[in-house]
Amino acid sequence: MSEAVIIDGKGLAQELREELGHRVTELRAQVGRPPALTVILVGEDPASQVYVRNKERACEKAGIRGEVLRLPASTSAGEIHREILRINEDPSVDGLLVQLPVPDGIDPAALREWIDPAKDVDGLHPRNVGLLASGMPGLVPCTPLGCLRMLRHHHVATAGARAVVLGRSLIVGRPMAALLSAKGVDATVTLAHSRSRDLAAICRQADILVAAAGVPQLVQPDWVRRGATVLDVGIHRVDDPTHPKGARLVGDVDPGVREVAGYLSPVPGGVGPMTIAMLLENTVTAFCRREGLEAGGES
Ligand code: GUN
């Protein structure tokens, strides 16, 4: 039996970022300023610091003006609100996100509502959530957008396909289900979660399985139909004394799934790099809409 084709998210993201870089050069010449993204990082969560640095670097390489506003963990909700309102009003900034998680005591639901929906490159503002649910153009969360792009790149048939999304988060599971069931994508979607009865049987129905449950190596080989496409959104650091760094990254999908799936996105090097590429694309989309230009892209 042949092994799954491994979806090279890193390579695809690199291609997309290079294309976007050319587009940014043209847009900059046309408009007289580059697209700009501001990331607010509250506190010192080590993983968030790495993610934010990666976003900064990706912006720089694509010619996008990337700025990080680092605030101490002790910053009050009121101060964060003031900063968000200031950036909302800043005409030179197109995209704004607050890196998650935020420290205890800050309500992420409130943050989502403070960001100008036109600059909400995470696609988490209720207006953007509603636009996606209504099939209207808005800004769509980056990870599900990246997953859809991976399916398209490999010409995975979605129309009429059975798709199972594991996990109902606002940032991945729910928007992924909305995108897969949208007109033009046309999958039949099941949104499964931690309270779903017999997850394994539900997953075995899937032609396309998106694992975003947040549970290390949850999806076992016998949960996957032979030839199915499996996208692994999980990322977990697990101790491994045999690894040179003492730990390694695993996803929500057991490595044995490789023997069964038709296509499989790896961790690392799969969905993660695509998320960053889509963040850059969303920033350019927001820039174009704010400047009254044709946006292109997905959202
Ligand atoms: N933390 C981990 N992933 C994300 C993301 O996509 N957006 C934000 N804002 N924070 C994150």
Side-chain angles (χ1 to χ4, degrees):
M1 284 293 175
S2 59
E3 283 203 353
V5 172
I6 300 300
I7 302 176
D8 179 13
K10 192 173 170 189
L12 178 56
Q14 185 59 36
E15 272 175 42
L16 293 171
R17 283 166 54 172
E18 278 168 24
E19 281 169 26
L20 208 59
H22 297 306
R23 185 129 176 270
V24 165
T25 305
E26 289 168 13
L27 288 168
R28 185 181 184 147
Q30 193 178 344
V31 173
R33 69 173 184 91
L37 171 70
T38 297
V39 176
I40 300 180
L41 175 60
V42 189
E44 275 155 26
D45 177 73
S48 291
Q49 286 180 334
V50 173
Y51 292 147
V52 165
R53 224 173 297 127
N54 289 343
K55 288 173 183 174
E56 236 178 335
R57 246 183 256 137
C59 280
E60 195 184 327
K61 283 194 192 147
I64 291 171
R65 187 167 67 86
E67 200 173 306
V68 180
L69 178 59
R70 290 182 169 79
L71 300 173
S74 58
T75 309
S76 70
E79 285 168 273
I80 297 172
H81 190 196
R82 274 192 294 282
E83 291 294 347
I84 290 176
L85 294 182
R86 180 181 62 75
I87 298 162
N88 283 348
E89 293 300 315
D90 183 341
S92 72
V93 176
D94 304 287
L96 169 60
L97 69 85
V98 179
Q99 184 68 26
L100 301 172
V102 285
D104 291 346
I106 306 285
D107 177 13
L111 296 178
R112 296 197 283 269
E113 299 200 18
W114 294 336
I115 294 175
D116 177 353
K119 298 190 177 186
D120 170 36
V121 283
D122 259 342
L124 296 178
H125 188 284
R127 179 173 167 79
N128 283 317
V129 175
L131 288 170
L132 176 59
S134 327
M136 290 163 71
L139 286 164
V140 177
C142 304
T143 300
L145 214 46
C147 287
L148 191 60
R149 215 38 95 69
M150 291 167 115
L151 297 177
R152 291 248 173 89
H153 182 76
H154 285 280
H155 306 288
V156 173
T158 54
R162 286 177 200 252
V164 172
V165 178
L166 269 183
R168 53 181 157 182
S169 69
L170 191 62
I171 198 154
V172 184
R174 288 169 193 267
M176 188 76 248
L179 277 178
L180 285 165
S181 57
K183 267 208 173 357
V185 183
D186 299 320
T188 304
V189 180
T190 301
L191 180 54
H193 48 77
S194 53
R195 298 296 300 272
S196 296
R197 201 170 353 112
D198 205 351
L199 275 180
I202 294 171
C203 292
R204 270 193 292 271
Q205 299 268 313
D207 301 308
I208 297 165
L209 176 59
V210 181
V215 180
Q217 300 181 339
L218 173 70
V219 175
Q220 295 297 305
D222 66 347
W223 292 29
V224 175
R225 232 171 45 85
R226 184 158 291 285
T229 297
V230 180
L231 301 181
D232 190 351
V233 178
I235 185 148
H236 314 276
R237 192 174 295 275
V238 295
D239 291 337
D240 180 355
T242 67
H243 194 276
K245 289 184 176 165
R248 65 195 160 87
L249 296 175
V250 303
D252 280 7
V253 175
D254 187 274
V257 167
R258 193 184 273 237
E259 310 291 333
V260 189
Y263 290 94
L264 174 63
S265 75
V267 175
V271 173
M274 290 297 290
T275 296
I276 296 201
M278 294 300 102
L279 173 63
L280 303 179
E281 188 169 290
N282 271 353
T283 303
V284 172
T285 299
F287 170 91
C288 289
R289 291 194 183 138
R290 294 184 65 248
E291 294 292 343
L293 301 168
E294 191 67 37
E298 199 76 49
S299 42

